[in-house]
Amino acid sequence: MDIGAAAQTTPAPPAGTPELLQWLWTFTAVRIIVALGIVGLGIVLSKFLVRLLGRPVARRFERQSVAQTVLGLLRVSTVVIATLIGGSMVGLGLGDIVLSVTVFSAVLGLVLAPIVGSVINGVFVLADNPYEIGDMIELEDGRRGFVDDITLRYTKIFTLENTFLVIPNSQMRERDVTNFSAEDERTRLSIPLLVTYEGDLNQARRLMERAARNCDDVIEGGPDIRIGSARYPAKPTCLIDAYADNGVRLVLRFWVRTPYKIPRVESTVRERIWEGLEDANVEIAYPHQHLLFDETSGQARVAVEEASDRPDIDRRREDSGPTGSTGDDAPTGEPPTE
């Protein structure tokens, strides 16, 4: 039976307001409109609740990612509740809705499996807290950036090249992630330098330490920096790393206050080391070899044979002619005649 036929069989509208509302509720179109209105009201209410509870939730949870996740769940829950209420208005019970969702999920299980996996991994990322919004991290492929957002499905990274990386949480948990901003932002850097054996080794070490101390972003000194149960000097320190084949390998270790401009700091320190090498008795080593001969090195024997001592060579020269060719086709030095 269509709506027009139902309207013809429906009695005339009553005079009282309650009776009028009951009479209007008998129409399916009215119930659908009311259900859609409730869903729309739920969407508006969810946004209002997020604005209202945003600051209290942010104060309750110190981690910004967790606060944003809680507010997102609040918004989704409000919309879902409004949808359930609207569905009941048009005759859909809770059991029917749950059954429909179950069947739909079973049919699209293969499609939803990666999304569900990312959501589960997102819960572990939020629980393990390997990084937080605003932290500077480095991926295993060498790309660095700042964490811009963490959701249940993905992590959004703002790279130093002014680009965005959106990586599913299932992949982020499998990667090796270096967090430069975790707890203590101070980061130790190392710069190697290979100098010759003939130079002044102590002067080379003092030169490298002085080059790092004169950089603004480098920690010049102070109390030792503690990492776990070990303590390391805060001032720049140059150590002898190894006696290599072509020279002595030195390693300059120094601490920077923040890890956000590491390439620029390293470049500045290298530039000042290069400037200091001009007036120092220090030379950068390069691959080279020295060959030494003495009375114990043996003799190099070279045999030189005359052509007259080799009759086989004379025969080949006679057979080949002036140009070294053999046979009747050998040129005679005269132009050919027809």
Side-chain angles (χ1 to χ4, degrees):
M1 181 182 298
D2 57 0
I3 299 178
Q8 293 178 359
T9 58
T10 304
T17 302
E19 292 79 5
L20 179 61
L21 295 177
Q22 293 179 358
W23 176 76
L24 292 175
W25 193 250
T26 58
F27 294 96
T28 304
V30 175
R31 292 198 297 270
I32 293 176
I33 294 175
V34 174
L36 294 177
I38 292 177
V39 174
L41 181 62
I43 296 174
V44 175
L45 180 61
S46 66
K47 296 180 179 180
F48 174 76
L49 291 177
V50 168
R51 292 181 180 180
L52 179 65
L53 302 177
R55 292 184 178 180
V57 171
R59 288 193 297 265
R60 176 64 179 81
F61 299 96
E62 297 180 356
R63 296 172 52 191
Q64 183 179 356
S65 59
V66 176
Q68 291 183 357
T69 302
V70 171
L71 294 176
L73 293 176
L74 176 63
R75 176 181 296 178
V76 172
S77 301
T78 304
V79 175
V80 169
I81 293 174
T83 303
L84 294 176
I85 296 175
S88 63
M89 295 290 184
V90 295
L92 292 178
L94 181 60
D96 298 334
I97 297 177
V98 172
L99 180 61
S100 301
V101 172
T102 304
V103 174
F104 181 77
S105 301
V107 173
L108 299 181
L110 296 177
V111 179
L112 297 178
I115 300 177
V116 174
S118 296
V119 171
I120 295 175
N121 285 279
V123 174
F124 283 105
V125 167
L126 294 174
D128 298 338
N129 190 23
Y131 47 80
E132 188 51 62
I133 296 176
D135 287 353
M136 181 180 181
I137 64 175
E138 180 179 359
L139 302 179
E140 56 186 2
D141 56 4
R143 289 181 294 182
R144 296 180 181 179
F146 295 91
V147 179
D148 185 73
D149 191 12
I150 304 175
T151 67
L152 290 177
R153 293 186 296 108
Y154 61 84
T155 297
K156 190 175 183 181
I157 303 173
F158 189 74
T159 67
L160 300 182
E161 288 76 21
N162 197 25
T163 59
F164 274 112
L165 288 177
V166 179
I167 305 176
N169 290 324
S170 58
Q171 298 182 13
M172 288 297 297
R173 294 196 67 224
E174 298 176 355
R175 292 172 177 253
D176 294 333
V177 180
T178 303
N179 192 342
F180 290 96
S181 304
E183 298 181 0
D184 192 353
E185 292 185 344
R186 294 176 298 181
T187 304
R188 191 176 70 174
L189 305 179
S190 299
I191 295 180
L193 181 66
L194 190 66
V195 298
T196 60
Y197 285 98
E198 296 78 10
D200 190 342
L201 189 60
N202 293 327
Q203 186 179 9
R205 297 175 63 182
R206 292 193 300 268
L207 184 151
M208 296 179 68
E209 293 174 356
R210 183 171 59 252
R213 283 196 302 268
N214 294 333
C215 186
D216 295 336
D217 297 327
V218 175
I219 299 176
E220 298 181 2
D224 293 343
I225 296 178
R226 181 175 181 178
I227 300 179
S229 59
R231 294 182 180 271
Y232 299 91
K235 64 180 181 179
T237 305
C238 184
L239 305 175
I240 299 176
D241 185 51
Y243 295 104
D245 296 336
N246 302 309
V248 181
R249 184 165 64 243
L250 305 178
V251 176
L252 174 64
R253 295 180 177 178
F254 57 94
W255 293 83
V256 295
R257 295 182 177 86
T258 57
Y260 307 126
K261 298 180 180 180
I262 290 178
R264 184 180 64 82
V265 175
E266 291 179 340
S267 178
T268 302
V269 174
R270 288 191 176 97
E271 180 182 356
R272 296 184 179 181
I273 292 175
W274 180 264
E275 294 175 353
L277 291 175
E278 297 180 357
D279 301 330
N281 185 22
V282 179
E283 183 181 358
I284 297 179
Y286 55 90
H288 61 281
Q289 292 181 346
H290 288 221
L291 301 180
L292 302 178
F293 293 94
D294 53 15
E295 64 275 4
T296 63
S297 300
Q299 297 178 353
R301 297 180 179 181
V302 180
V304 180
E305 299 179 354
E306 295 293 340
S308 58
D309 298 336
R310 300 285 302 277
D312 54 340
I313 297 179
D314 296 337
R315 287 196 300 271
R316 284 199 299 269
R317 289 180 178 177
E318 292 175 359
D319 296 339
S320 61
T323 59
S325 301
T326 60
D328 298 337
D329 295 337
T332 60
E334 297 179 358
T337 58
E338 297 181 358

